[in-house]
Amino acid sequence: MKIHHLRNATMVIETKDKVILIDPMLGKRGTAGPSFTFFRYKPKRNPILDLPENAMEIVHKTTHCLLTHLHPDHLDKAAEQFLKSKNIPIICSVKDEKILLKRGLNVSQVVNYWKSSDFLGGTIEGIPARHGYGFVAKPMGNVMGFYIQLPNEKTIYLSSDTIYTQAVDKVLKQYKPDISVVASGRAQLDLFRPLLMTMEDIVKFVKNAPDKVIANHLEAVNHCPIAREELTSELSKKGLIDKTYIPQDGELMVF
């Protein structure tokens, strides 16, 4: 299995003849949307940097697209145009199907929470995700993580934009994924508590993951203050860096 980290949560999984694009934000710097904060962090239009040079060459190989939720840093206008132009089959949460169909996208499969269904010769299961601590999670809306088992490949858990919950703990400890992906930017708006795991919970996630971890959602949108260097330092102090990939944009990981 090859996994390309492109930017933020956008990644591409290559497995045999299938190429799965995940949470595409494909627009140029500043085109996905306005700043998510105005006084907590310096306001900048998102994304705050361009895709790496090799990104679209990889994206154009896409055979399927997997969406965890519909926030613009996971599905922007440029991505919608690409998916429509190629009529790419989309796999999403049962709760997102109607909106995506209304936007003219080709929804080929919907996934339910805690239910395993056929997926590219293997299986996919929807895992609950909670996009924030406390009250803020409700307006953040529906989010779904995915646990994926493909034939003769490593199992992968895409936890998506979530805090550390009982559902996350259950997947890490009971499903024992070979690869676990954690959104690590500790996103936060001007008001309310963080939208993603605190550093303490990222450390807990990595510690409880049975095998390799990929940390993404870093240094691409203005409301995510944790940088790769800070995360590397913290995980090194805790003796967890050897099991963690903190990829640069455009980096290829082979499993």
Side-chain angles (χ1 to χ4, degrees):
M1 178 184 286
K2 293 181 182 177
I3 298 180
H4 302 265
H5 169 73
L6 300 185
R7 178 181 61 185
N8 200 49
T10 304
M11 55 199 291
V12 173
I13 297 174
E14 286 194 68
T15 167
K16 300 182 180 64
D17 59 337
K18 301 295 188 294
V19 180
I20 308 162
L21 175 64
I22 296 160
D23 284 353
M25 176 172 59
L26 303 180
K28 293 180 179 177
R29 181 170 57 184
T31 61
S35 170
F36 291 119
T37 67
F38 294 95
F39 57 82
R40 188 187 293 274
Y41 308 117
K42 187 177 178 181
K44 296 178 185 175
R45 287 187 64 82
N46 288 301
I48 59 174
L49 76 175
D50 282 319
L51 282 167
E53 286 184 12
N54 64 333
M56 290 312 294
E57 182 182 338
I58 297 161
V59 168
H60 277 288
K61 299 178 185 176
T62 299
T63 61
H64 298 78
C65 178
L66 187 59
L67 298 176
T68 66
H69 64 302
L70 307 184
H71 289 172
D73 59 326
H74 292 253
L75 177 68
D76 64 358
K77 294 296 181 189
E80 285 192 28
Q81 289 168 2
F82 167 76
L83 294 168
K84 281 195 247 186
S85 70
K86 301 281 188 179
N87 200 33
I88 301 291
I90 291 169
I91 301 93
C92 67
S93 161
V94 66
K95 293 186 177 181
D96 290 333
E97 180 185 18
K98 283 183 182 175
I99 295 174
L100 291 169
L101 289 172
K102 197 176 282 187
R103 293 184 191 177
L105 292 161
N106 175 21
V107 177
S108 64
Q109 182 175 352
V110 295
V111 181
N112 284 284
Y113 291 104
W114 297 124
K115 286 190 178 176
S116 182
S117 52
D118 293 342
F119 178 60
L120 304 181
T123 59
I124 187 169
E125 181 173 342
I127 308 298
R130 183 175 176 83
H131 200 337
Y133 294 88
F135 167 79
V136 73
K138 191 166 186 180
M140 285 297 101
N142 161 65
V143 185
M144 179 178 275
F146 297 104
Y147 178 71
I148 302 168
Q149 297 176 285
L150 295 173
N152 305 310
E153 294 285 10
K154 304 277 190 188
T155 56
I156 183 164
Y157 170 38
L158 305 170
S159 63
S160 186
D161 281 14
T162 189
I163 62 172
Y164 198 99
T165 64
Q166 286 185 334
V168 170
D169 195 72
K170 175 181 174 179
V171 175
L172 294 177
K173 292 178 179 176
Q174 294 183 23
Y175 290 37
K176 299 190 183 303
D178 298 311
I179 305 161
S180 303
V181 182
V182 59
S184 303
R186 202 188 69 227
Q188 193 164 7
L189 305 176
D190 285 331
L191 303 173
F192 311 116
R193 296 169 68 193
L195 307 175
L196 297 174
M197 291 184 206
T198 59
M199 183 68 85
E200 183 182 21
D201 278 345
I202 296 167
V203 168
K204 184 178 177 182
F205 183 103
V206 177
K207 189 176 179 181
N208 288 335
D211 208 330
K212 297 298 185 185
V213 174
I214 299 172
N216 68 2
H217 218 302
L218 293 162
E219 299 180 29
V221 288
N222 87 303
H223 64 313
C224 286
I226 292 179
R228 289 177 173 92
E229 186 178 355
E230 182 188 355
L231 184 58
T232 300
S233 173
E234 189 65 24
L235 292 175
S236 297
K237 285 180 201 169
K238 298 289 195 293
L240 296 168
I241 195 64
D242 287 347
K243 68 190 289 192
T244 311
Y245 292 85
I246 306 175
Q248 297 296 318
D249 291 354
E251 188 172 329
L252 169 65
M253 294 160 281
V254 180
F255 296 92

